[in-house]
Amino acid sequence: MSTPSAAVRPFARVIARLAAAFATVFALAACTPAEPIEVGTDTVIVDVRTPGEYADGHLDGALNIDVQSATFDAAIAELDPTVSYVVYCRSGNRSAAAIDRMEAAGFTDLVNAGGLQEAADATGIEIVTGP
């Protein structure tokens, strides 16, 4: 195996520096506290992960409506579209997808709280285990 040419080495150093910079930025972003989410007495917390994920830990009082389930649309159709909802999952991807579907169904007051720990930090609601 040959060593990199002189022209390639500076490019490799730039790539290594960029990778280090991105790692620093992402590490700092992970340490940034979540924006507080105000939870009123009529706010509904929805965990859109699987039942197994929900049982392993969820926000106290959260409804579990699996966005990947074939019954998701029917389940949200039973909810009141006029109240506030805080939606979370593991990382924020499924909650974003759930919010898109809920908006399409007429819901208007929706907050994507991201992942479970982010949602707990932002709402101040305790993580509990079990069904």
Side-chain angles (χ1 to χ4, degrees):
M1 184 169 187
S2 64
T3 59
S5 70
V8 172
R9 276 184 245 135
F11 180 71
R13 280 193 293 267
V14 169
I15 296 298
R17 287 184 186 141
L18 284 172
F22 278 116
T24 301
V25 168
F26 285 116
L28 290 173
C31 296
T32 304
E35 288 292 319
I37 297 172
E38 199 161 322
V39 177
T41 56
D42 64 338
T43 302
V44 178
I45 310 295
V46 181
D47 182 323
V48 296
R49 300 173 303 150
T50 66
E53 289 172 301
Y54 180 86
D56 286 342
H58 58 274
L59 295 186
D60 194 17
L63 295 177
N64 182 216
I65 307 174
D66 183 355
V67 71
Q68 297 173 327
S69 167
T71 61
F72 179 79
D73 292 322
I76 65 168
E78 295 180 19
L79 300 175
D80 182 352
T82 65
V83 299
S84 301
Y85 290 88
V86 174
V87 183
Y88 72 92
C89 60
R90 182 179 54 83
S91 67
N93 290 328
R94 286 179 281 178
S95 54
I99 284 174
D100 287 345
R101 289 170 67 181
M102 291 174 80
E103 286 175 337
F107 292 78
T108 57
D109 192 354
L110 300 159
V111 175
N112 184 347
L116 174 61
Q117 189 61 57
E118 285 177 291
D121 293 344
T123 63
I125 299 173
E126 180 183 6
I127 297 173
V128 297
T129 58

